[in-house]
Amino acid sequence: MSVARFDELIHAPTRLQIVSLLAALEWADFKFIRDEVNLSDSALSKQLTTLEAAGYVEIRKAFVGKRPRTSARLSKTGRAAFELHVAALQEIVERSGASVLRR
Amino acid sequence: MGGHLQPDDATNALTQIRLQQARVIDAVLVPAWYWWAVAGGMLAIGAATDTRDAVVLAVVIPICALLIAALTAAMIFGAYRRAQLRSSDLLGGRGAVAIVAFVWLVVALTLGIGFALRAAGAHLPATIATAVGGAALVTGGPFLMRRLRQIMLGNRAGQPR
């Protein structure tokens, strides 16, 4: 039985970068994500809001001293959607007869 | 359902996912200079021990031990503050065993050589032992990081089936 589902929301290039990054992490600081995916604060906020609205990302706002700190993580739903999306991509590649790069 | 997606585009997306996750893993791994710094601290402790001078021992050992501990804490908590790796998923049992085995190997090697040289009446036993232990750190540390990277990439989410 196939456990693959292509996800248009995740597949958008910037969101794919963000979700791939979050998939390897428990929590990530907003600035860390911003620097890793090379986005402006506002662009990242917009993408995170979209992912949060879909239930894929959880946002945590906290204060460290007087400074606000925003962190994000992939929700269970988001993680499952990502796994299914990767499986869908692999299926597309495998159907074409090409091999999936493992390293 | 992504039926319109070409295999090349899917391959590119999978490559992008793999590279992004590899970058994250690299960002939280310990840099090579850390092993040199710890090895230097160990060697200083060894050399201080061999002086048998109470003042040198009282000053050098606590300072070096404190610096090594502070550097290690800064490495761990600095990375932790920026991003918390899913270490239980990514490292798994093999990663934990590799870390513990490496630490035990360096400690056992350093202490073993130190005590053996002292028993044999060798000159500067602690300096030689910590130099060997430091060399093990400098050569083995980056090797351990490469091994952990390999393990984590193998355990990452979305790993090809």
Side-chain angles (χ1 to χ4, degrees):
Chain A
M1 191 183 121
S2 174
V3 283
R5 194 183 72 218
F6 188 86
D7 194 312
E8 293 283 359
L9 187 86
I10 290 178
H11 195 69
T14 308
R15 285 196 289 273
L16 186 64
Q17 267 188 297
I18 295 169
V19 173
S20 305
L21 178 148
L22 291 176
L25 300 168
E26 197 63 60
W27 285 97
D29 187 63
F30 183 91
K31 288 177 187 169
F32 178 80
I33 306 171
R34 179 196 64 192
D35 296 344
E36 283 295 317
V37 300
N38 230 347
L39 286 177
S40 66
D41 285 3
S42 58
L44 178 58
S45 286
K46 191 179 161 190
Q47 299 296 348
L48 287 177
T49 304
T50 303
L51 289 166
E52 189 183 27
Y56 287 178
V57 159
E58 292 170 18
I59 308 285
R60 180 174 70 180
K61 291 177 190 283
F63 278 88
V64 178
K66 288 184 178 177
R67 290 186 173 185
R69 172 171 290 161
T70 303
S71 310
R73 80 165 171 188
L74 218 52
S75 67
K76 277 187 178 174
T77 310
R79 190 166 296 280
F82 175 68
E83 298 271 2
L84 294 175
H85 182 65
V86 171
L89 293 174
Q90 287 165 3
E91 269 192 9
I92 293 168
V93 175
E94 282 163 7
R95 272 205 305 267
S96 75
S99 63
V100 179
L101 195 59
R102 287 188 180 273
R103 283 258 63 86
Chain B
M1 283 288 288
H4 61 283
L5 198 72
Q6 296 300 310
D8 281 354
D9 295 330
T11 304
N12 289 339
L14 287 169
T15 303
Q16 192 190 345
I17 290 168
R18 182 177 56 85
L19 292 176
Q20 186 65 58
Q21 295 191 329
R23 271 169 53 106
V24 173
I25 289 168
D26 288 342
V28 297
L29 286 176
V30 171
W33 63 260
Y34 167 80
W35 303 107
W36 283 95
V38 175
M42 275 175 63
L43 187 59
I45 290 173
T49 305
D50 283 334
T51 65
R52 299 189 181 190
D53 182 311
V55 178
V56 174
L57 286 173
V59 174
V60 174
I61 292 178
I63 288 176
C64 287
L66 206 67
L67 284 175
I68 291 172
L71 184 64
T72 304
M75 281 288 145
I76 295 169
F77 294 112
Y80 189 79
R81 209 176 53 231
R82 287 180 292 130
Q84 296 166 28
L85 208 63
R86 292 176 64 84
S87 30
S88 55
D89 291 348
L90 289 175
L91 278 177
R94 281 189 307 154
V97 166
I99 294 169
V100 172
F102 179 67
V103 171
W104 275 104
L105 184 73
V106 172
V107 170
L109 188 72
T110 307
L111 292 179
I113 290 174
F115 286 124
L117 288 174
R118 177 182 272 187
H123 186 55
L124 303 176
T127 306
I128 295 168
T130 50
V132 173
L137 270 183
V138 167
T139 52
F143 178 79
L144 173 70
M145 289 300 109
R146 281 198 297 276
R147 178 76 189 121
L148 293 181
R149 184 180 192 273
Q150 198 178 34
I151 291 171
M152 289 194 280
L153 284 173
N155 291 339
R156 70 195 160 87
Q159 169 72 356
R161 295 157 299 167

